[in-house]
Amino acid sequence: MFSIAKLSFKETLYKRIFLIAVLMTLAFLAFFGIANHYASKDMTENFDFAGMEIGQALLQNTFFAVQVLSIGLFFANFITILLTILSTVGTVSGEIESHQIDTLLARPLKRRDLILGKFIGLGGLMMLYSVFIFGGVILMNQLFGGVLAIHLSAGQIVKAGLMFALLPLLVTAIGLWLSTRLTTINGGIIMIVMYGIGFIGGFMEQFGVLMNNRSLENIGILSSIVFPLDSLFRRMSVYLFDVADNPLSFASQGIFASASTPSNLMLVYSALYGVLILFFAIRKFTKRDV
């Protein structure tokens, strides 16, 4: 199992798509740093706080600061999830189509260990990448954010970073499950659409809470049950900004805010969801005639 994990880790690491992703990530981080610098400069030179009360000026500054950092983290999460999808949906189906998997199955290796090995290898690599891009976004904000730099404690960064790193692990399990059942293209389309539904549902749920609209809330809850990625991302935001269930803090977070903290029960559900999906992937591949 660990030999397969090591092999999957190296194969993905040396692929051109991963190299391109790393280079483009560095370009994104450089752009984000420059954007932070000029946004802070413009805020300092042109925004008129003179006519505001101290509390109002502080709220306005916090609002803009949180929006800038949240946009960076939102896009960082999008890149991470997209790279994870591209790396996992073809890892079994692609090898079946090219018959590369015949070499592995000819060895005294259980199919269960093959799937678990791929999960450990791919999931581990994507977790490392997610920690890298999360740390990069925070670092750019702290170095070049100026008045827009958010004051964060080490505890906030560590808790939010760990939650951010769990997101690709869940996507890896789903990607492997689809890869044992469908072709690479079909699995990729389903994953991308599910990702979109999850985040749109999350926004609808927040709007539903603010508007006291039960239908919108239920749409968001249903999307979280089907694909619980948005709940984990919003829990990460709560850990990072440490502002759960505070109306003033909620106002400062804008569209990326969480009107209520995703519960611990939702975290447990997400963990069980991932374990169950991985179990189904193993079961399907064990019974599949390749």
Side-chain angles (χ1 to χ4, degrees), residues 40-118:
S40 172
K41 184 180 178 183
D42 184 72
M43 190 90 174
T44 305
E45 294 177 351
N46 300 322
F47 202 82
D48 182 19
F49 289 107
M52 298 182 184
E53 296 178 357
I54 295 177
Q56 186 182 4
L58 182 62
L59 183 61
Q60 288 279 12
N61 187 78
T62 304
F63 174 79
F64 288 120
V66 172
Q67 292 307 292
V68 170
L69 182 55
S70 295
I71 289 171
L73 289 174
F74 187 83
F75 190 67
N77 179 59
F78 172 75
I79 297 172
T80 304
I81 298 304
L82 191 60
L83 180 61
T84 307
I85 291 172
L86 294 176
S87 300
T88 55
V89 290
T91 188
V92 176
S93 59
E95 290 184 354
I96 291 175
E97 291 163 5
S98 64
H99 297 286
Q100 288 182 355
I101 206 162
D102 296 345
T103 307
L104 293 174
L105 295 181
R107 299 179 180 180
L109 175 69
K110 293 181 180 178
R111 293 191 177 192
R112 175 195 62 195
D113 293 341
L114 192 144
I115 296 296
L116 287 176
K118 285 182 176 295

Side-chain angles (χ1 to χ4, degrees), residues 251-289:
S252 72
Q253 288 187 75
I255 61 172
F256 298 102
S258 181
S260 59
T261 309
S263 65
N264 290 331
L265 183 62
M266 192 65 207
L267 297 185
V268 173
Y269 170 78
S270 301
L272 292 176
Y273 181 98
V275 171
L276 197 60
I277 286 290
L278 190 59
F279 169 76
F280 284 142
I282 293 170
R283 184 180 178 186
K284 177 62 183 177
F285 186 63
T286 302
K287 294 182 177 180
R288 180 168 178 172
D289 182 14

Side-chain angles (χ1 to χ4, degrees), residues 221-247:
I221 293 170
L222 181 62
S223 69
S224 295
I225 292 173
V226 175
F227 198 64
L229 216 59
D230 181 73
S231 296
L232 298 181
F233 183 79
R234 291 188 184 278
R235 184 66 178 251
M236 181 279 299
S237 296
V238 171
Y239 281 146
L240 187 64
F241 299 119
D242 196 22
V243 288
D245 299 326
N246 183 329

